[in-house]
Amino acid sequence: MSFQEEWGQIRSEAATRTRLNSAGGGDADRLVVYQEDLGRVGHEAFLLHGRLKKAGDIARGAAGEGSTAKAATTLTSHNFTLGEALTTMSGIWDDQVKTLLQSCAHISNHLDFSKKSHTREDKEIAATMSHRDGSAMTASEITQYYR
């Protein structure tokens, strides 16, 4: 099976399983996200940020000796055009790594915020959806408000 055929098959299977932003009824059409999922994804983005920050810094090198910068300087001083190209490549690489680091940080921060925000909203809803004596309403009682 070629890549295009396999990709087409995967896309068609995903289309039958996933129906986000659709106007359908029933639980099968709803997107459900659990707090622990948000936490896990946010934590993985945080860990990836840390690993990428260390491993992606090729200008200074993994051990901090700056082998890429040294090589570029040495090649340029000996009139090799490769030195200039290496300096350019290192700058582009650095820009790309910074973009990925910002993305990881944004994902981690956003999911941490979402998790805290949803927890706060759940507490507010629980406080407002109670009987006069303070006891919690049942799910069936709450459902009556949405009919």
Side-chain angles (χ1 to χ4, degrees):
M1 178 182 288
S2 73
F3 172 78
Q4 294 299 330
E5 292 170 338
E6 185 177 358
W7 181 247
Q9 181 182 353
I10 290 170
R11 287 184 63 193
S12 65
E13 289 173 3
T16 59
R17 283 192 319 260
T18 308
R19 300 178 83 200
L20 300 178
N21 296 328
S22 63
D27 290 338
D29 293 336
R30 294 184 184 161
L31 175 63
V32 177
V33 178
Y34 297 100
Q35 296 293 342
E36 57 270 9
D37 294 335
L38 292 176
R40 268 190 240 118
V41 172
H43 182 68
E44 288 299 320
F46 175 77
L47 294 176
L48 179 60
H49 181 276
R51 290 193 317 264
L52 183 60
K53 191 171 186 176
K54 291 177 186 172
D57 192 0
I58 64 165
R60 278 183 287 208
E65 73 275 358
S67 58
T68 304
K70 284 182 184 177
T73 303
T74 303
L75 288 168
T76 302
S77 70
H78 288 91
N79 297 322
F80 285 96
T81 56
L82 180 61
E84 210 174 297
L86 189 57
T87 300
T88 302
M89 181 279 311
S90 180
I92 292 170
W93 175 267
D94 194 42
D95 290 344
Q96 296 295 319
V97 168
K98 286 178 183 175
T99 300
L100 287 172
L101 287 170
Q102 289 174 347
S103 296
C104 288
H106 179 73
I107 290 167
S108 178
N109 293 339
H110 179 73
L111 291 178
D112 286 344
F113 172 79
S114 294
K115 185 177 178 184
K116 290 175 186 172
S117 175
H118 289 288
T119 301
R120 185 179 62 249
E121 288 172 0
D122 287 346
K123 287 180 182 177
E124 288 175 11
I125 290 169
T128 58
M129 300 299 276
S130 59
H131 294 287
R132 290 183 181 162
D133 64 359
S135 62
M137 295 177 96
T138 64
S140 59
E141 289 174 315
I142 294 171
T143 305
Q144 292 174 359
Y145 287 101
Y146 297 105
R147 291 187 181 171

